[in-house]
């Protein structure tokens, strides 16, 4: 590595201030690997930090490397690493806990108070040519799985975790609110986990068209300001009743309310999308009908399942990728993702030449 000096990196300095600059190539610790990054997907949170400089209590106060949906190739291993070797292609689970607190020991490390998560202030992300990461949070990719699919394990894990929180299983009737990237990966996860019927709602017909391609059994276009009781009726008509699982992937107040109102009594409403810090919801409705309300924060122990689903061919995430850019085109890539240009769903930034590390 000493002969390489190119570590071009995308750094967010503040609102509307994303720059490309050279940074030193990091040295892996004993339990880490140095990765030659291959590709990084743009997440809605990345765009949110660019536009607003913060998400809730996470505020960009100093320059931060952006990006967390990623895959790369092992370039160097720390002295204690045994599970990986130089040349291994890996997907990167971007968040890891302290490993010693009660949450980590209980297997719920996503709730660790000392969680380190890529591109979440104050921690750097991995839209860079070289990046170090704990080896046990890197997952070796089978040769037939592409680097892009490896990067998409991150959003897919959110969908898997949401379905697990909802208790999706054989024959489940599932309503998904929002057909953006997270709604779509939740759809394919729900179908893979045995859901009998999955219906999606969204403001945009073109997103719902993609949902139909990916296996949605029904879709509902919801106009802004639509009467929520009318929307509930439309949803129930598609289920010939009410769904027993509703997963809100939007986070808007309207969808959070709908997740409760549309769910069958005794069912479960899972809130994935994060919108305003406080909203008005029909809580008495939920209580009187024993609708469980559950939150989702990222994922936990879901990467192996997500990788298995992709590697086995049970699901296809490639349809989600609509645009490709190289790292020098990062500004254009973010503009495309931010404004949904050209029907953008998932925008992929290639740090290495496209397909360099994929099977031919």
């Amino acid at each position: 590595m000493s002969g390489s000096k190119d570590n071009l990196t995308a750094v967010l300095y503040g609102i509307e201030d994303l720059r490309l600059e050279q940074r030193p190539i990091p040295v892996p610790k004993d339990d880490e690997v140095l990765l030659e990054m291959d590709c990084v997907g743009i997440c809605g949170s990345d765009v949110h930090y660019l536009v607003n400089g913060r998400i809730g209590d996470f505020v960009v106060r100093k320059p931060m490397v952006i990006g967390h949906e990623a895959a790369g190739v092992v370039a160097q291993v720390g002295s204690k690493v045994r599970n990986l070797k130089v040349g291994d292609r890996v997907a990167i689970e971007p968040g890891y806990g302290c490993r010693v607190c009660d949450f980590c020991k209980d297997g719920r490390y996503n709730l660790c108070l000392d969680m380190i998560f890529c591109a979440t202030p104050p921690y750097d992300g991995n839209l860079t040519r070289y990046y170090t990461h704990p080896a046990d949070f890197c997952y070796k990719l089978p040769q037939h799985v592409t680097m892009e699919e490896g990067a998409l394990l991150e959003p897919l894990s959110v969908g898997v975790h949401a379905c697990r929180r909802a208790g999706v299983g054989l024959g489940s009737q599932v309503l998904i609110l929002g057909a953006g990237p997270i709604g779509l990966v939740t759809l394919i996860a729900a179908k893979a986990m045995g859901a009998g019927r999955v219906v999606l709602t969204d403001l945009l017909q073109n997103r719902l068209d993609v949902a139909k391609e990916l296996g949605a059994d029904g879709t509902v276009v919801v106009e802004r300001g639509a009467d929520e009781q009318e929307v509930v009726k439309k949803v129930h008509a598609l289920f010939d009743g009410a769904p027993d699982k509703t997963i809100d992937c939007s986070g808007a107040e309207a969808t959070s309310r709908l997740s409760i109102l549309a769910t069958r009594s005794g069912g479960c409403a899972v809130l994935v999308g994060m919108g305003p810090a406080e909203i008005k919801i029909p809580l008495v409705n939920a209580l009187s009908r024993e609708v469980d309300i559950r939150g989702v924060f990222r994922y936990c122990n879901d990467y192996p399942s997500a990788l298995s689903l992709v590697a086995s061919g049970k699901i296809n995430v490639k349809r989600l990728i609509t645009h490709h850019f190289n790292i020098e085109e990062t500004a254009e890539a973010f503009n495309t993702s931010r404004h949904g240009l050209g029907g953008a769903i998932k925008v992929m930034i290639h740090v290495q030449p496209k397909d360099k590390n994929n099977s031919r």
Side-chain angles (χ1 to χ4, degrees), residues 87-225:
D88 283 345
R89 304 156 63 254
V90 300
I92 304 163
E93 181 172 352
Y96 53 96
C98 69
R99 295 176 170 81
V100 297
C101 71
D102 288 343
F103 291 117
C104 286
K105 288 182 177 180
D106 195 39
R108 304 188 71 183
Y109 58 85
N110 59 324
L111 304 180
C112 176
L113 297 178
D114 294 318
M115 166 69 72
I116 294 174
F117 198 93
C118 290
T120 297
Y123 304 108
D124 284 332
N126 49 33
L127 182 46
T128 178
R129 295 211 193 277
Y130 291 97
Y131 167 76
T132 56
H133 199 72
D136 58 326
F137 278 79
C138 295
Y139 296 85
K140 185 175 178 179
L141 299 175
Q143 199 59 38
H144 68 280
V145 175
T146 68
M147 302 302 285
E148 292 84 357
E149 289 173 306
L152 285 176
L153 293 186
E154 200 281 337
L156 178 59
S157 291
V158 176
V160 170
H161 192 63
C163 288
R164 283 176 163 169
R165 290 283 287 162
V168 173
L170 293 175
S172 293
Q173 304 292 296
V174 183
L175 171 65
I176 297 173
L177 307 175
I182 297 301
L184 295 176
V185 293
T186 302
L187 158 65
I188 58 181
K191 297 293 284 188
M193 294 168 74
R197 187 167 186 80
V198 182
V199 171
L200 278 82
T201 70
D202 201 274
L203 297 169
L204 303 176
Q205 182 62 54
N206 65 306
R207 286 186 169 185
L208 294 174
D209 291 340
V210 176
K212 290 288 286 185
E213 287 183 42
L214 293 173
D217 299 291
T219 60
V220 179
V221 175
V222 180
E223 297 181 0
R224 293 186 186 277

Side-chain angles (χ1 to χ4, degrees), residues 220-235 254 257-258 261:
V220 179
V221 175
V222 180
E223 297 181 0
R224 293 186 186 277
D227 180 86
E228 61 186 15
Q229 290 302 324
E230 289 301 314
V231 177
V232 169
K233 289 180 181 178
K234 290 181 180 179
V235 167
R257 291 177 58 83
L258 186 60
L261 296 172

Side-chain angles (χ1 to χ4, degrees), residues 45-57:
S45 65
D46 296 322
V47 174
H48 204 84
Y49 282 123
L50 173 65
V51 175
N52 300 292
R54 68 184 300 160
I55 296 178
D57 294 332

